[in-house]
Amino acid sequence: MKEENYIKLEFPSRSSNEAFARAAAAAFAAQLDPTLEELGDVKTAVSEAVTNAIVHAYPDAIGRIVMRLRIQGGNTLEIMVKDFGKGIENVEEARKPLFTTGGSERSGMGFTIMESFMDKLRVRSVPGKGTTVVMQRAIRLRVGRR
Protein backbone atom coordinates (compact mmCIF):
# COMPACT_ATOMS: atom_id res chain seq x y z
CA MET A 1 0.00 0.00 0.00
CA LYS A 2 1.45 3.34 -1.04
CA GLU A 3 2.26 5.75 1.78
CA GLU A 4 1.01 9.22 0.92
CA ASN A 5 1.67 11.31 4.02
CA TYR A 6 2.86 10.80 7.58
CA ILE A 7 3.82 12.45 10.85
CA LYS A 8 5.85 11.18 13.78
CA LEU A 9 5.64 12.57 17.29
CA GLU A 10 7.56 11.73 20.44
CA PHE A 11 6.49 12.80 23.91
CA PRO A 12 6.95 11.85 27.57
CA SER A 13 4.41 9.52 29.19
CA ARG A 14 2.70 12.27 31.15
CA SER A 15 -1.09 12.08 31.40
CA SER A 16 -1.39 15.64 30.05
CA ASN A 17 0.03 14.42 26.72
CA GLU A 18 -2.91 12.08 26.11
CA ALA A 19 -5.10 15.04 25.10
CA PHE A 20 -2.30 16.36 22.88
CA ALA A 21 -2.01 12.99 21.11
CA ARG A 22 -5.79 12.93 20.50
CA ALA A 23 -5.73 16.46 19.07
CA ALA A 24 -2.70 15.75 16.88
CA ALA A 25 -4.31 12.59 15.49
CA ALA A 26 -7.54 14.46 14.78
CA ALA A 27 -5.71 17.29 13.03
CA PHE A 28 -3.75 14.85 10.88
CA ALA A 29 -6.82 12.76 10.04
CA ALA A 30 -8.75 15.88 9.02
CA GLN A 31 -7.04 15.87 5.62
CA LEU A 32 -9.08 12.73 4.81
CA ASP A 33 -12.31 14.69 5.44
CA PRO A 34 -13.71 12.22 7.98
CA THR A 35 -17.21 12.44 9.38
CA LEU A 36 -17.53 13.55 12.99
CA GLU A 37 -18.20 9.92 13.92
CA GLU A 38 -15.05 8.71 12.16
CA LEU A 39 -13.01 11.46 13.79
CA GLY A 40 -14.43 10.57 17.20
CA ASP A 41 -13.53 6.92 16.66
CA VAL A 42 -9.93 7.82 15.78
CA LYS A 43 -9.60 10.09 18.80
CA THR A 44 -11.01 7.44 21.14
CA ALA A 45 -8.68 4.72 19.83
CA VAL A 46 -5.64 7.02 20.13
CA SER A 47 -6.69 7.97 23.65
CA GLU A 48 -6.87 4.31 24.68
CA ALA A 49 -3.51 3.41 23.12
CA VAL A 50 -1.68 6.37 24.65
CA THR A 51 -3.34 5.90 28.04
CA ASN A 52 -2.31 2.23 28.03
CA ALA A 53 1.30 3.27 27.42
CA ILE A 54 1.19 5.91 30.16
CA VAL A 55 -0.46 3.69 32.78
CA HIS A 56 0.93 0.24 32.04
CA ALA A 57 4.28 0.69 30.30
CA TYR A 58 5.65 3.17 32.82
CA PRO A 59 3.75 2.64 36.09
CA ASP A 60 6.47 4.17 38.30
CA ALA A 61 8.38 6.46 35.94
CA ILE A 62 8.10 8.85 33.03
CA GLY A 63 9.12 7.18 29.77
CA ARG A 64 9.00 7.83 26.06
CA ILE A 65 6.04 7.34 23.70
CA VAL A 66 6.26 7.55 19.91
CA MET A 67 3.15 8.04 17.79
CA ARG A 68 3.23 7.79 14.00
CA LEU A 69 0.27 8.44 11.73
CA ARG A 70 0.27 7.55 8.04
CA ILE A 71 -2.17 7.83 5.19
CA GLN A 72 -2.01 4.89 2.83
CA GLY A 73 -3.86 4.02 -0.34
CA GLY A 74 -5.72 7.31 -0.44
CA ASN A 75 -8.11 6.77 2.44
CA THR A 76 -6.58 4.46 5.07
CA LEU A 77 -5.27 5.99 8.28
CA GLU A 78 -2.65 3.97 10.14
CA ILE A 79 -1.79 4.88 13.72
CA MET A 80 1.19 3.43 15.56
CA VAL A 81 1.72 4.03 19.28
CA LYS A 82 4.96 2.65 20.69
CA ASP A 83 6.43 2.66 24.16
CA PHE A 84 9.73 1.38 25.49
CA GLY A 85 8.43 0.31 28.87
CA LYS A 86 7.84 -2.94 30.70
CA GLY A 87 6.01 -4.75 27.90
CA ILE A 88 3.19 -7.26 28.08
CA GLU A 89 3.86 -10.82 29.24
CA ASN A 90 0.85 -12.34 27.45
CA VAL A 91 -0.64 -10.20 24.66
CA GLU A 92 -3.47 -12.66 23.98
CA GLU A 93 -4.61 -12.49 27.61
CA ALA A 94 -4.18 -8.68 27.72
CA ARG A 95 -6.51 -8.31 24.72
CA LYS A 96 -9.38 -10.04 26.54
CA PRO A 97 -12.14 -7.72 27.77
CA LEU A 98 -11.83 -6.75 31.46
CA PHE A 99 -8.21 -7.92 31.80
CA THR A 100 -6.05 -5.31 33.49
CA THR A 101 -2.81 -5.00 35.39
CA GLY A 102 -3.70 -1.47 36.48
CA GLY A 103 -5.70 -2.23 39.60
CA SER A 104 -9.38 -1.88 40.40
CA GLU A 105 -9.63 1.66 39.02
CA ARG A 106 -8.85 0.41 35.46
CA SER A 107 -11.61 -1.13 33.30
CA GLY A 108 -9.48 -3.51 31.24
CA MET A 109 -11.27 -2.45 28.06
CA GLY A 110 -8.49 -0.54 26.26
CA PHE A 111 -7.69 -3.07 23.54
CA THR A 112 -11.38 -3.98 23.16
CA ILE A 113 -12.26 -0.32 22.60
CA MET A 114 -9.40 0.15 20.11
CA GLU A 115 -10.51 -2.93 18.22
CA SER A 116 -14.15 -1.83 18.09
CA PHE A 117 -13.34 1.63 16.69
CA MET A 118 -10.69 0.61 14.16
CA ASP A 119 -10.71 -1.80 11.20
CA LYS A 120 -7.48 -3.55 12.23
CA LEU A 121 -5.49 -3.80 15.46
CA ARG A 122 -2.08 -5.41 15.89
CA VAL A 123 -0.22 -5.58 19.18
CA ARG A 124 3.43 -6.59 19.48
CA SER A 125 5.20 -6.63 22.81
CA VAL A 126 8.48 -7.80 24.29
CA PRO A 127 8.67 -7.94 28.09
CA GLY A 128 11.22 -5.41 29.32
CA LYS A 129 11.45 -3.67 25.94
CA GLY A 130 8.02 -2.23 25.23
CA THR A 131 4.84 -2.50 23.22
CA THR A 132 3.79 -1.39 19.75
CA VAL A 133 0.13 -0.97 18.85
CA VAL A 134 -0.75 -0.50 15.17
CA MET A 135 -4.30 0.43 14.21
CA GLN A 136 -5.84 1.02 10.79
CA ARG A 137 -9.07 2.71 9.83
CA ALA A 138 -10.42 3.33 6.34
CA ILE A 139 -12.11 6.71 6.04
CA ARG A 140 -15.05 6.48 3.68
CA LEU A 141 -14.83 8.47 0.52
CA ARG A 142 -17.77 10.84 0.29
CA VAL A 143 -19.41 12.24 -2.82
CA GLY A 144 -17.49 15.23 -4.09
CA ARG A 145 -14.29 14.37 -2.19
CA ARG A 146 -11.16 13.69 -4.18
Side-chain angles (χ1 to χ4, degrees), residues 13-135:
S13 62
R14 298 186 189 284
S15 60
S16 59
N17 285 331
E18 178 271 329
F20 171 75
R22 281 173 61 98
F28 183 78
Q31 65 192 291
L32 293 172
D33 193 25
T35 64
L36 289 176
E37 181 180 351
E38 290 169 328
L39 199 56
D41 291 353
V42 167
K43 289 167 63 175
T44 299
V46 166
S47 180
E48 292 295 331
V50 170
T51 298
N52 272 1
I54 292 168
V55 171
H56 299 291
Y58 306 109
D60 302 315
I62 299 297
R64 187 167 57 109
I65 298 172
V66 173
M67 183 171 79
R68 184 190 70 220
L69 294 101
R70 299 191 302 176
I71 294 173
Q72 299 176 312
N75 72 322
T76 298
L77 177 65
E78 181 180 85
I79 304 161
M80 184 270 304
V81 176
K82 180 176 183 161
D83 67 65
F84 304 88
K86 65 186 249 179
I88 301 170
E89 291 289 334
N90 184 333
V91 172
E92 187 175 318
E93 183 179 29
R95 287 185 69 167
K96 291 180 182 175
L98 305 178
F99 177 85
T100 185
T101 60
S104 61
E105 71 278 359
R106 309 308 307 178
S107 71
M109 295 297 290
F111 287 129
T112 302
I113 291 168
M114 286 179 246
E115 197 163 34
S116 69
F117 285 108
M118 303 303 279
D119 297 327
K120 292 182 184 177
L121 173 69
R122 292 188 318 269
V123 181
R124 293 185 314 269
S125 191
V126 177
K129 296 196 185 260
T131 301
T132 302
V133 173
V134 179
M135 304 176 282

